[in-house]
Amino acid sequence: MKEHDFIKIIKEQTDNSFIGDDCAYLKELGIVITQDNFIEDVHFKTEWATPFQIGYKAAAVNISDVLASGAKPAYLSVGLSLPSYVNNDFISELYCGIKKGAFGAEVIGGDITGGDKIFISITAIGKTEGRKISSRKNAKEGFVIITKGIYGESSKGLSELQAGRKSSSAIRAHLEPILDVKFSEDVSTHIQEEYAMMDTSDGLADALFQIAKASEVTIHSNKICGMFGAEDYNLVAAVPEEFAKTLNNINIIGKVTKYKDAYLIIDNKKYNDYNDLNLYNHFK
């Protein structure tokens, strides 16, 4: 069983139209909302990351989903479960990191309980006023695929940590990912058409496949170094070609065509089943 199988079951059982994108778009309230968990020995190790870095990334992974929707980060609510050894200095550093990783969003509350390990659950809210909100199901035939940034640094950083290295630019990319607030704003405040956008938290290849399948199209992509890694937290979008030409400093890495044979084609290699990508599985 894999995460996508669980999500399918949850969607069927709840009969919920909001499940599918990383943020739920509550149009009548003018907000998007998302929630992610950040768990010791699953998402981080205390011997690898400082309290600041733990807090920073716990916030950033949620804000990344808000940016992927095209919304403006606004508020965070933080739920904590903490072991008894945690002291005042740890909490101070943790929340300093959360504030930095919130990219302008305000921490408005939460809950604290005891536990055996550090467990952080953050709910993030973004404002949608003046912005066109994305959905991964909005890619259309004739659109192009755009992104910025480099790929593979976070995976490299994780490998270095596992090998016992303590500090490098790749390790920092893994522990303190920089989010592209401007990319999100440039797209969502200027585009007129429906469009698809995701972050690449589970890998660029994952995001392309998810967009293609949700939109029932085929995405043709150049092979990008590091695209099968994860946790780079860049943004990738499917937008009209004419709109892409109005943006600065972006890379056009592919195109969208009518579905035929496969959801994703990377340098002529076809992927029509998500499992063929051989990406990270939380439940294996």
Side-chain angles (χ1 to χ4, degrees):
M1 186 70 78
K2 296 191 175 184
E3 180 183 7
H4 298 290
D5 298 315
F6 291 147
I7 293 172
K8 181 181 178 182
I9 292 169
I10 293 167
K11 188 171 184 177
E12 290 171 350
Q13 291 300 317
T14 59
D15 191 25
N16 192 320
S17 62
F18 294 107
I19 296 175
D21 289 308
D22 289 319
C23 281
Y25 176 25
L26 306 182
K27 191 172 182 178
E28 70 276 18
L29 300 180
I31 62 170
V32 300
I33 186 167
T34 186
Q35 182 177 8
D36 268 310
N37 298 327
F38 204 57
I39 305 168
E40 183 179 358
D41 294 331
V42 176
H43 300 100
F44 67 90
K45 290 182 178 292
T46 54
E47 59 264 38
W48 291 351
T50 66
F52 174 91
Q53 290 169 329
I54 294 168
Y56 176 95
K57 193 168 182 180
V61 299
N62 283 273
I63 296 301
S64 183
D65 284 340
V66 173
L67 295 177
S69 77
K72 180 180 180 180
Y75 303 107
L76 294 181
S77 178
V78 183
L80 293 177
S81 182
L82 300 170
S84 59
Y85 71 79
V86 168
N87 58 27
N88 292 355
D89 289 341
F90 183 99
I91 294 296
S92 180
E93 285 189 51
L94 181 76
Y95 271 83
C96 185
I98 289 173
K99 183 176 180 180
K100 183 76 171 179
F103 286 81
E106 182 180 359
V107 178
I108 57 171
D111 184 39
I112 300 177
T113 65
D116 295 329
K117 292 187 176 182
I118 300 168
F119 180 99
I120 307 171
S121 184
I122 291 182
T123 299
I125 295 171
K127 294 180 179 179
T128 65
E129 183 179 4
R131 298 185 179 225
K132 190 84 169 177
I133 301 304
S134 77
S135 172
R136 63 180 68 175
K137 67 179 181 292
N138 286 341
K140 304 288 193 304
E141 180 181 1
F143 280 18
V144 294
I145 306 298
I146 61 172
T147 190
K148 285 173 65 178
I150 59 175
Y151 287 89
E153 279 295 285
S154 182
S155 295
K156 180 182 177 183
L158 177 58
S159 295
E160 291 179 357
L161 286 167
Q162 291 170 332
R165 192 168 180 183
K166 299 297 184 183
S167 178
S168 73
S169 60
I171 288 174
R172 183 162 187 180
H174 179 71
L175 297 177
E176 299 178 47
I178 302 300
L179 308 185
D180 198 338
V181 177
K182 189 174 187 305
F183 184 103
S184 175
E185 183 178 5
D186 284 348
V187 173
S188 66
T189 60
H190 294 99
I191 198 166
Q192 299 300 314
E193 299 88 346
E194 301 292 333
Y195 69 102
M197 187 158 66
M198 284 183 64
D199 75 3
T200 59
S201 56
D202 289 325
L204 175 59
D206 165 87
L208 295 177
F209 189 95
Q210 299 296 344
I211 290 171
K213 187 172 183 179
S215 300
E216 299 182 340
V217 296
T218 296
I219 289 179
H220 304 253
S221 173
N222 302 329
K223 189 172 183 179
I224 308 297
C225 182
M227 70 187 304
F228 290 91
E231 297 199 51
D232 290 301
Y233 293 97
N234 295 320
L235 296 175
V236 61
V239 300
E241 185 172 8
E242 288 304 309
F243 176 76
K245 292 177 181 178
T246 69
L247 301 174
N248 296 320
N249 303 316
I250 54 97
N251 298 315
I252 297 177
I253 63 167
K255 63 181 180 180
V256 181
T257 65
K258 185 177 180 180
Y259 175 83
K260 184 180 180 181
D261 298 331
Y263 290 115
L264 178 60
I265 301 176
I266 302 174
D267 283 357
N268 298 316
K269 185 173 181 179
K270 296 179 180 180
Y271 299 89
N272 199 51
D273 187 310
Y274 184 81
N275 295 330
D276 293 340
L277 295 172
N278 196 30
L279 300 174
Y280 178 74
N281 175 15
H282 292 272
F283 300 99
K284 71 179 180 180

